[in-house]
C-alpha cells in the first residue's frame, strides 16, 4: 500500500491516488501500424489527424504482430492485411497455435496492397520463377509480407531450402541490403508509392518484377482475399513499366472489447471527411465508402462502426445481429503446383 494511505482516511487516500494516476493513457487511441518505410504508418497518422480524440500512430513489426497486439489489448486499433485478418479470425496459418480470435472486429478497409517483388537490375530476375536459388528478403517476423510470401512459397511448392539464403529484414532496411548486393530481391506487400521501393529503385536502379504464373492463379482462385493487382507505370521512375501482380487490402481492426463510442467517433470522422482523408496519400485516391465497408473484411464489424453504417443506411440493421461480412469456403490446404508452372 502507498505509505501515505496508511496514515490517511480511505476517501482522502483514494482522491490522492486518482490525482497521481496517469489519466491520458486510458483515453489515447493507439493505432498499431508497421515500419515507417511503408504506408500503414502514414495511414495511422492520417487517421489520428482526422479523429477529434487524443491519438497516436505506433510503428510495429507489421500485420501479424498487430493482430496479436489487438488480441492482447495492447493497441486500440491496428492496420492489418486482409489475408492475415482472415487467418486471425479463423485461427489458421500463423494463428493456428493461438486459435480463432472471437474478439477480432473489422472497422473498414483501406488501400490495395500489391505483393511487390523488387530485384537488383543485374540479378537477372525477370519472373517469380527466377527467385529459386537466390538470396531474398521475405520480411521480419510479424510482418504481413512474410505471411503473404509464405503462402506464395506454399502454392509454388518452395521451402526455405529452395533459396540460397533467406533474410528476415524489416522494410526500412531491405532496400539498402539490395543496394549493397547482399540480397538479389525483396518482397513487400504494401501500398504505392512507398519509400522502401522508391529507395531501391532510385538509389540502386532496382526493378519491379511481375508476379504471375500458375501458383499465383491458384492463390487468386482459392482465396477471396487475394485479387489481381497492378502497380502503375512511371510511378517510381519515368522508365518503370506497369507491373502485374496479386494483392490484398489494408484493413483497420479493433477488439470487441474496444469502447464502441471511440470506434464510432473515428469511423464518423473518416467518412464525414472522406475527401480530406483521401488526400493524405495517393494510395487512398480510389477509396469509396462502399468499397471500404465491403472489401477485405473477414471479422464481424465492430459495434461502433455498425452504428455509423446503420445511421447512414449503408447496412441494414438485422435482428440477428451483428452481421459479419465473412469470407467463406476458404480451403485450408492448396493443391500442389507442378514445377513447370
Ligand atoms: N503490409 C505490411 C504489413 O502488414 C505493411 C505495409 C505498410 O507499412 O504499409 O506488415
Amino acid at each position: 500500500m502507498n505509505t501515505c494511505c496508511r496514515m490517511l482516511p480511505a476517501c482522502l487516500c483514494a482522491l490522492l491516488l486518482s490525482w497521481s494516476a496517469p489519466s491520458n493513457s486510458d483515453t489515447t487511441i493507439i493505432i498499431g501500424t508497421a515500419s515507417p518505410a511503408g504506408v500503414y504508418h502514414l495511414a495511422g497518422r492520417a487517421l489520428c489527424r482526422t479523429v477529434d480524440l487524443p491519438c497516436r500512430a505506433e510503428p510495429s513489426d507489421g500485420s501479424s504482430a498487430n493482430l496479436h497486439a489487438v488480441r492482447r489489448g495492447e493497441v486500440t486499433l491496428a492496420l492489418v492485411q486482409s489475408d492475415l485478418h482472415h487467418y486471425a479470425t479463423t485461427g489458421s496459418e500463423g494463428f493456428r497455435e493461438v486459435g480463432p480470435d472471437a474478439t477480432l472486429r473489422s472497422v473498414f478497409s483501406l488501400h490495395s496492397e500489391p505483393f511487390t517483388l523488387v530485384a537488383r537490375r543485374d540479378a537477372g530476375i525477370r519472373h517469380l520463377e527466377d527467385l529459386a536459388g537466390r538470396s531474398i528478403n521475405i520480411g521480419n517476423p510479424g510482418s504481413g509480407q512474410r505471411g503473404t510470401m509464405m503462402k506464395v512459397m506454399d502454392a509454388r511448392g518452395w521451402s526455405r531450402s529452395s533459396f540460397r539464403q533467406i533474410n528476415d529484414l524489416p522494410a526500412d532496411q531491405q532496400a539498402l541490403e539490395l543496394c549493397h548486393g547482399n540480397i538479389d530481391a525483396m518482397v513487400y506487400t504494401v501500398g504505392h508509392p512507398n519509400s522502401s521501393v522508391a529507395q531501391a529503385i532510385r538509389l540502386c536502379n532496382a526493378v519491379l518484377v511481375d508476379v504471375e504464373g500458375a501458383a499465383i492463379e491458384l492463390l487468386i482462385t482459392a482465396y477471396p482475399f487475394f485479387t489481381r493487382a497492378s502497380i502503375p507505370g512511371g510511378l517510381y521512375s519515368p522508365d518503370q513499366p506497369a507491373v502485374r501482380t496479386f494483392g490484398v487490402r489494408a484493413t483497420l481492426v479493433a477488439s470487441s472489447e474496444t469502447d464502441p463510442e471511440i470506434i464510432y467517433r473515428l469511423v464518423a470522422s473518416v467518412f464525414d471527411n472522406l475527401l480530406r482523408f483521401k488526400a493524405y496519400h495517393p494510395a487512398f485516391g480510389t477509396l469509396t465508402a462502399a468499397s471500404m465497408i465491403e472489401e477485405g473484411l473477414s471479422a464481424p464489424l465492430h459495434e461502433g462502426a455498425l452504428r455509423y453504417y446503420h445511421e447512414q443506411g449503408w447496412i441494414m440493421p438485422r435482428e440477428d445481429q451483428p452481421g459479419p461480412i465473412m469470407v467463406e469456403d476458404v480451403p485450408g490446404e492448396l493443391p500442389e503446383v507442378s514445377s513447370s508452372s
Side-chain angles (χ1 to χ4, degrees), residues 169-181:
L169 296 167
D172 56 350
Q173 290 175 28
Q174 56 184 356
L176 277 183
E177 286 296 291
L178 198 78
C179 290
H180 291 151

Side-chain angles (χ1 to χ4, degrees), residues 282-334:
F284 306 155
T286 54
L287 293 181
T288 61
S291 67
M292 291 168 75
I293 63 168
E294 273 165 17
E295 292 173 16
L297 307 176
S298 299
L301 286 165
H302 194 282
E303 194 188 330
L306 261 181
R307 190 176 126 206
Y308 184 83
Y309 303 151
H310 287 163
E311 278 174 11
Q312 300 301 310
W314 294 344
I315 292 181
M316 290 303 136
R318 291 199 332 210
E319 276 165 24
D320 59 329
Q321 88 133 341
I325 300 174
M326 293 293 289
V327 176
E328 278 157 1
D329 303 326
V330 175
E333 300 295 332
L334 278 174

Side-chain angles (χ1 to χ4, degrees), residues 34-35 38-41 61-63 81 113 143-145 188-191:
S35 159
V39 178
Y40 282 12
H41 196 61
D61 284 340
S63 284
Q81 292 178 196
E113 297 192 273
S143 71
Q145 52 272 20
Y188 199 8
T189 314
V190 67

